[in-house]
């Protein structure tokens, strides 16, 4: 069989795109003898978690506008190229955390949770996977609220916002973090400019967050945008 030059070129392109997306997902239950670890195995499962992390990553790359040729804009995965989830036996009462490409889920939280565990753990994984892929975390201590707001924005867009979150328009300031910031980012991204959160993420790569990014992307100050957002929902 003789390949045309165009066919060879497209094979080469397919290979490059494949390697750019060659991320693996590993899930380990380090707490399998605890109540939460057992509940995780029975009601969620490591294979399901792996699938969810893979789907969440694709979802996040879409939100961040890092698909196709722009896959090169993604934040690289640590070490051997695996995003990992470990169910851990912790005693600090937390839910989950992420450091680099390593996510930990607390068995205690899984044990305590009442309600739809599958939706809850999936929502938590979308939030934590966002921390794996988002740029600018070197600035987390100074502007934690934006990083947590973007992670909850992704969870919201994916359809996993829990019932206890604030409603749109609630909260005292854009920098409240988590659900408060997520609702505001959703207003900026849905009402003002689709793709805003992806652009914001890209700008944070080198030196983290600046209020100036709202002006650069949306042409308005973050305070003006927040005032309009509050007014839209009755103040
Ligand atoms: C999970 O358990 C393995 C084996 O004991 C250990 O090497 C690893 O550090 C543990 N991971 C976490 C996140 O606790
Ligand atoms: C994604 O990035 C490309 C290249 O920078 C840009 O042209 C496009 O408008 C972006 N899409 C969105 C939705 O922001």
């Amino acid at each position: 069989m003789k390949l045309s030059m165009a066919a060879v070129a497209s094979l080469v392109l397919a290979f490059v795109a494949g390697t750019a997306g060659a991320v693996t997902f590993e899930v380990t239950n380090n707490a399998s003898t605890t109540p939460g670890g057992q509940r995780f195995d029975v009601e969620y499962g490591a294979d399901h978690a792996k699938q969810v992390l893979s789907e969440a990553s694709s979802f996040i790359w879409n939100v961040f506008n890092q698909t196709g040729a722009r896959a090169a804009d993604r934040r690289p995965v640590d070490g051997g190229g695996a995003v990992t989830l470990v169910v851990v036996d912790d005693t600090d009462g937390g839910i989950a955390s992420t450091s680099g490409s390593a996510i930990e889920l607390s068995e205690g939280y899984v044990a305590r949770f009442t309600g739809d565990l599958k939706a809850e753990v999936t929502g938590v994984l979308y939030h934590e996977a966002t921390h794996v892929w988002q740029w600018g975390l070197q600035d987390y201590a100074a502007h934690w609220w934006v990083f947590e707001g973007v992670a909850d924005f992704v969870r919201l867009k994916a359809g996993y916002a829990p019932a206890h979150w604030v409603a749109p328009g609630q909260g005292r300031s854009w920098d409240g973090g988590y659900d408060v910031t997520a609702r505001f980012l959703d207003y900026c991204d849905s009402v003002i400019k689709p793709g805003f959160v992806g652009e914001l993420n890209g700008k944070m790569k080198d030196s983290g967050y600046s209020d100036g990014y709202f002006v650069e992307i949306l042409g308005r100050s973050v305070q003006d945008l927040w005032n309009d957002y509050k007014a839209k929902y009755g103040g």
Side-chain angles (χ1 to χ4, degrees):
M1 193 179 81
K2 201 162 165 271
L3 288 172
S4 69
M5 280 314 286
V8 171
S10 76
L11 279 176
V12 170
L13 275 177
F15 176 75
V16 171
T19 52
V23 178
T24 56
F25 301 92
E26 290 167 11
V27 178
T28 314
N29 188 348
N30 265 15
S32 56
T33 60
T34 65
Q38 285 175 358
R39 189 175 180 198
F40 177 86
D41 282 341
V42 172
E43 296 182 35
Y44 205 80
D47 285 344
H48 181 60
K50 231 192 247 190
Q51 183 64 29
V52 168
L53 285 174
S54 172
E55 287 166 6
S57 296
S58 296
F59 187 88
I60 293 158
W61 297 332
N62 264 305
V63 170
F64 288 172
N65 196 15
Q66 296 169 332
T67 57
R70 289 183 299 276
D73 298 340
R74 290 175 198 162
R75 184 178 149 201
V77 172
D78 285 352
V83 173
T84 61
L85 169 68
V86 182
V87 182
V88 293
D89 183 358
D90 77 339
T91 50
D92 66 8
I95 299 174
S97 65
T98 299
S99 171
S101 310
I103 302 170
E104 292 186 8
L105 173 68
S106 299
E107 73 78 20
Y109 183 69
V110 174
R112 283 192 307 277
F113 186 79
T114 53
D116 183 349
L117 184 77
K118 270 206 143 147
E120 173 64 12
V121 171
T122 297
V124 167
L125 293 182
Y126 271 75
H127 176 109
E128 298 303 328
T130 305
H131 291 318
V132 168
W133 297 113
Q134 71 188 165
W135 287 115
L137 287 166
Q138 67 273 22
D139 180 42
Y140 184 89
H143 298 111
W144 62 271
W145 59 268
V146 75
F147 302 102
E148 298 300 348
V150 168
D152 268 357
F153 167 81
V154 166
R155 181 175 180 169
L156 170 68
K157 292 302 274 187
Y160 295 102
H164 63 78
W165 276 15
V166 296
Q170 289 186 325
R172 281 193 304 109
S173 171
W174 65 86
D175 61 2
Y178 296 97
D179 50 344
V180 169
T181 299
R183 296 285 194 198
F184 174 61
L185 292 174
D186 188 34
Y187 165 80
C188 294
D189 196 278
S190 304
V191 179
I192 312 287
K193 187 180 186 193
F196 165 70
V197 171
E199 257 187 86
L200 178 66
N201 176 65
K203 281 185 182 287
M204 296 201 287
K205 181 173 178 180
D206 293 331
S207 43
Y209 173 79
S210 158
D211 281 345
Y213 297 154
F214 279 87
V215 181
E216 286 173 30
I217 303 169
L218 302 177
R220 315 268 313 278
S221 74
V222 63
Q223 179 71 66
D224 280 357
L225 289 157
W226 175 261
N227 292 345
D228 287 359
Y229 167 68
K230 292 296 280 186
K232 178 178 160 71
Y233 290 100

